[in-house]
Amino acid sequence: MDKAPETVCSVRIIVDTNIVFSAILNTTGRIGKVLIGSGTHFQFYTCDFLRIELQKHRGKLLKITKLTEGKLHELELLITSNIKFINESLIAEKQWLSANILLKDIDPNDTPFVALAKELDAKLWTGDMQLYHGLKEKRFKAVITTAELSFILDELERK
């Protein structure tokens, strides 16, 4: 009897801005490796807002990385190649309202990411510890750190 084909893991992960920035600054680090090489284990999503953030901080990224504009653009494409961008207008209003309430005293700038996590029933991957702990304190369980995601990835790769 033939083996059933291997299926793609249905773990949905919302990637926030600081994760992508970290991957750009260190492509060979754990974050870069997870984003680039674990597409069979995770489905990565983010908001179109991330593109605005990349453009807003382009000068800073160019200065820190010492890359040319073209090389930085290539790197951004590589880092985001496994991420599906979702237009914020597709997120239900109730998710926006809920995310606004959760984040009003943490960081309202992260509202699109939390709203998308709620919309897709996904985990929000963040390196922002203030955001992570603030959401956990409010009993929002759909948030994950790089260490936690790495542990899950290691477990999946052992199978």
Side-chain angles (χ1 to χ4, degrees), residues 93-105:
E93 185 177 351
K94 70 178 184 174
Q95 308 302 7
W96 282 101
L97 295 172
S98 176
N100 273 325
I101 291 167
L102 275 170
L103 293 167
K104 69 179 177 186
D105 59 348

Side-chain angles (χ1 to χ4, degrees), residues 25-36:
L25 296 175
N26 184 7
T27 54
T28 59
R30 185 66 173 166
I31 292 172
K33 288 178 182 177
V34 170
L35 278 174
I36 295 167

Side-chain angles (χ1 to χ4, degrees), residues 79-91:
I79 296 298
T80 61
S81 63
N82 289 327
I83 303 173
K84 294 175 187 163
F85 284 78
I86 306 292
N87 187 294
E88 290 84 351
S89 67
L90 299 174
I91 302 171

Side-chain angles (χ1 to χ4, degrees), residues 2-155:
D2 289 338
K3 268 179 103 174
E6 191 173 314
T7 58
V8 174
C9 183
S10 62
V11 178
R12 294 179 178 164
I13 305 292
I14 307 304
V15 181
D16 79 359
T17 304
N18 68 58
I19 293 297
V20 172
F21 282 7
S22 294
I24 289 170
L25 296 175
N26 184 7
T27 54
T28 59
R30 185 66 173 166
I31 292 172
K33 288 178 182 177
V34 170
L35 278 174
I36 295 167
S38 62
T40 58
H41 297 293
F42 303 119
Q43 295 174 0
F44 295 113
Y45 299 88
T46 196
C47 304
D48 283 341
F49 178 64
L50 177 66
R51 289 188 172 114
I52 295 166
E53 289 288 282
L54 285 169
Q55 192 59 42
K56 178 180 171 184
H57 298 285
R58 181 163 241 60
K60 186 177 182 180
L61 288 170
L62 285 167
K63 185 177 179 180
I64 293 170
T65 62
K66 296 182 170 78
L67 295 172
T68 64
E69 183 81 33
K71 291 289 183 189
L72 179 59
H73 181 70
E74 285 179 31
L75 185 55
E76 288 171 356
L77 290 176
L78 173 66
I79 296 298
T80 61
S81 63
N82 289 327
I83 303 173
K84 294 175 187 163
F85 284 78
I86 306 292
N87 187 294
E88 290 84 351
S89 67
L90 299 174
I91 302 171
E93 185 177 351
K94 70 178 184 174
Q95 308 302 7
W96 282 101
L97 295 172
S98 176
N100 273 325
I101 291 167
L102 275 170
L103 293 167
K104 69 179 177 186
D105 59 348
I106 301 171
D107 187 352
N109 290 329
D110 289 309
T111 300
F113 301 105
V114 172
L116 183 59
K118 293 172 87 43
E119 182 74 22
L120 296 180
D121 191 25
K123 296 238 182 226
L124 172 62
W125 179 18
T126 186
D128 179 343
M129 289 300 102
Q130 181 179 351
L131 174 63
Y132 176 84
H133 291 297
L135 288 171
K136 286 288 190 176
E137 284 174 16
K138 293 184 176 191
R139 294 185 175 23
F140 182 78
K141 296 178 181 172
V143 61
I144 193 166
T145 64
T146 300
E148 293 167 334
L149 191 62
S150 292
F151 178 80
I152 293 168
L153 180 59
D154 290 344
E155 290 296 309

